[in-house]
Amino acid sequence: MVAQGIPEETGYILFLFAATIALVIVVRIVISPKDPRPTPEKRAPFESGQISSGAGRTRFIIQYYPYILMFVVYDVIAMFLFAWALNLRALGAAGTLPILVFMLVALPPLAYALHLANRRENW
Amino acid sequence: MGNPIIDLLTNTYFLEIVVFPGLTSIAILGALLGWLERKLTARVQLRIGPQYASPAGGILQMFADIIKLLFKEVTIPEGADTFFFIMAPVTALIIGAALLGLIPFAPGIQIANIQVGLPVFLAIVTLSPTLVLLAGWSANSKFPFIGGLRALFQQTAYEIPLWLSTLGVVMVAGTLSLTGIVQYQQNSGWLIVPQLLGALLFIITSTAEMERLPFDLPEAESEIMMGWQAEYPGPLFMLVQGPAFVKLYAFSALFTTLYLGGYLGPSPIPPILWFFAKTLLVIVLIMLFRSTFPRVRLDQLLRQGWTTLLTLSIINIIIAYFLVVGFPAI
């Protein structure tokens, strides 16, 4: 069936999907309200009823930046543990020694980074 | 081969994708979960909740809301990046629905039975804070921008404990396939018994991942006005709200699969009903979090995520290790 290109079922599924979306769009065109000339107030960004001022995409203080740096490093390390965990029965206690050394190398820097990141004066 | 339309409508694969556990059932269950959440929260807080949309306790309220939202006017804020503003919630909805394709609902009822189901589920989930940041950035407004940044920071707090809490299940069951994990529990009992700490960590971190109270910082209504959802007009707001309920359903189904034995249960009741009974229990538990707990602050979440949750998940790995390899003789 794959050799013949798109199978028949997939064609029907795509047709039903497209037909549903087309129906919604057509009914929307007929019955939903439409404002040809929206006023500037209507299009302004929401700022709790105040007149909005300045750009929306401003510079922002990223005070928790150390956590992001730690995440970039340790999220990848956490992935390696899955390969070990999957084969734990086959590896046994002997195969755990490298992962133990790995964790002993990886965790003290994490503790030090946390110590620095949790200090309020560094934010 | 007779009539092609009859063939199509009785095709198992078609039925799985379009009817159950695919798109139609996700839409209906998502709307019903929205009603359940509103009704349950109202009852806990001594209110009445949805009442008028049907004879039975307003159960059709969310369907009425969907129809209303679908045909409202679309107003894009000035200076917004229209393409990303619209595509971010659409992509989030696709991601949420893709999660449910991996769950084994009953023996044979599973869209994608792949060998690495659990990491694929978690990897797909990882994309959603990026989409939240994209939605917040493209709106060109201050509240959505702050909400998007909060989603990014929140991810750094819960992501690693979420992965490591499921690692205990992988170690004990010895497989990454979700069907394999359920079959392991058929022989040796539910994994919530040896992995109680892991189950607790999983439900805390998955609540944070779903952005539900007490961790709904990116969309805190009372602080930053729904955060990244603030600028979305009617039909797009429906698309933004949809993934929240789809992800609640998907994560409760994953919790059931990993820790509560999935579709396993005594024989007279069919497996699919066992699965939905357990999933509903988890959903109600997570909804009760919402109606009882106050919201945490961002720095509290980051600090607890990187200290308490991470330490407990490493302790959980050590427990799982000794369960598999055996306790050392002293």
Side-chain angles (χ1 to χ4, degrees):
Chain A
M1 190 174 271
V2 177
Q4 298 165 3
I6 299 173
E8 220 167 342
E9 291 88 22
T10 317
Y12 279 116
I13 292 168
L14 288 176
F15 169 74
L16 286 176
F17 189 69
T20 313
I21 291 175
L23 182 71
V24 169
I25 290 173
V26 166
V27 177
R28 270 192 63 85
I29 288 171
V30 174
I31 70 169
S32 344
K34 209 169 188 179
D35 197 350
R37 281 193 303 277
T39 55
E41 289 81 11
K42 188 170 179 177
R43 298 195 66 213
F46 174 78
E47 276 183 26
S48 304
Q50 303 285 324
I51 294 170
S52 62
S53 65
R57 304 182 187 109
T58 49
R59 284 168 178 264
F60 199 77
I61 306 166
I62 302 189
Q63 72 229 95
Y64 307 118
Y65 185 65
Y67 292 106
I68 289 188
L69 275 183
M70 277 151 57
F71 179 68
V72 169
V73 176
Y74 284 94
D75 198 30
V76 181
I77 287 179
M79 300 301 104
F80 282 104
L81 292 177
F82 268 81
W84 162 71
L86 186 58
N87 297 315
L88 184 60
R89 279 175 213 283
L91 291 173
T96 307
L97 195 61
I99 215 83
L100 202 62
V101 174
F102 184 57
M103 295 305 284
L104 283 179
V105 172
L107 286 180
L110 176 65
Y112 183 61
L114 265 178
H115 170 68
L116 289 184
N118 283 344
R119 281 167 68 183
R120 217 173 271 263
E121 61 267 25
N122 286 346
W123 285 357
Chain B
M1 297 294 282
N3 190 338
I5 294 177
I6 304 284
D7 285 347
L8 172 72
L9 292 180
T10 51
N11 182 319
T12 316
Y13 197 57
F14 174 85
L15 288 177
E16 279 189 352
I17 290 179
V18 176
V19 182
F20 179 81
L23 302 168
T24 312
S25 72
I26 291 174
I28 293 172
L29 283 171
L32 289 179
L33 287 181
W35 168 79
L36 180 65
E37 168 154 44
R38 287 165 69 170
K39 196 76 178 171
L40 197 67
T41 312
R43 299 309 300 183
V44 169
Q45 297 166 349
L46 299 180
R47 294 182 284 116
I48 293 173
Q51 192 180 4
Y52 297 112
S54 76
I59 200 166
L60 298 177
Q61 182 65 49
M62 286 301 273
F63 294 97
D65 283 353
I66 287 172
I67 292 167
K68 178 196 76 173
L69 286 172
L70 203 55
F71 297 110
K72 285 181 94 167
E73 186 185 351
V74 175
T75 322
I76 308 278
E78 197 169 10
D81 191 333
T82 312
F83 179 75
F84 290 117
F85 189 68
I86 294 173
M87 286 317 284
V90 172
T91 318
L93 192 58
I94 292 171
I95 282 175
L99 296 176
L100 284 159
L102 299 166
I103 302 288
F105 284 86
I109 303 184
Q110 185 181 16
I111 293 175
N113 182 11
I114 52 179
Q115 289 299 310
V116 286
L118 180 59
V120 166
F121 190 102
L122 297 173
I124 293 173
V125 154
T126 310
L127 292 173
S128 67
T130 316
L131 290 169
V132 169
L133 180 62
L134 190 62
W137 175 258
S138 63
N140 191 29
S141 179
K142 293 184 186 80
F143 287 121
F145 180 47
I146 294 172
L149 279 178
R150 282 186 177 196
L152 189 68
F153 287 122
Q154 188 171 331
Q155 185 190 19
T156 65
Y158 67 72
E159 190 76 28
I160 297 174
L162 177 64
W163 282 82
L164 292 185
S165 66
T166 59
L167 193 70
V169 173
V170 175
M171 288 164 82
V172 175
T175 174
L176 293 171
S177 150
L178 291 174
T179 315
I181 289 170
V182 175
Q183 281 162 357
Y184 173 83
Q185 295 177 75
Q186 190 152 28
N187 303 323
S188 61
W190 291 3
L191 275 171
I192 194 169
V193 180
Q195 282 292 303
L196 185 62
L197 183 60
L200 203 65
L201 285 169
F202 182 83
I203 208 159
I204 292 170
T205 48
S206 61
T207 311
E209 147 55 37
M210 287 182 278
E211 295 169 8
R212 301 182 68 81
L213 270 167
F215 306 111
D216 69 335
L217 295 160
E219 51 191 79
E221 293 99 332
S222 47
E223 299 168 18
I224 51 171
M225 309 299 302
M226 295 303 281
W228 63 281
Q229 311 176 353
E231 293 289 350
Y232 278 102
L236 293 175
F237 186 69
M238 188 194 76
L239 284 181
V240 163
Q241 289 279 297
F245 293 111
V246 176
K247 268 161 74 177
L248 172 64
Y249 176 31
F251 265 103
S252 308
L254 184 67
F255 184 86
T256 306
T257 307
L258 291 184
Y259 295 106
L260 298 181
Y263 50 75
L264 302 174
S267 169
I269 303 169
I272 191 95
L273 285 185
W274 275 113
F275 187 87
F276 273 103
K278 292 171 190 172
T279 308
L280 191 64
L281 197 71
V282 181
I283 287 173
V284 167
L285 181 68
I286 294 173
M287 283 177 178
L288 287 177
F289 290 168
R290 175 189 156 124
S291 45
T292 42
F293 290 138
R295 187 179 301 119
V296 298
R297 280 201 321 265
L298 186 54
D299 61 322
Q300 289 170 337
L301 176 62
L302 283 167
R303 190 171 298 196
Q304 296 303 322
W306 277 100
T307 52
T308 314
L309 293 181
L310 193 62
T311 314
L312 285 176
S313 53
I314 289 171
I315 290 172
N316 180 50
I317 292 173
I318 295 170
I319 292 172
Y321 175 77
F322 284 127
L323 281 173
V324 173
V325 178
F327 290 93
I330 299 168

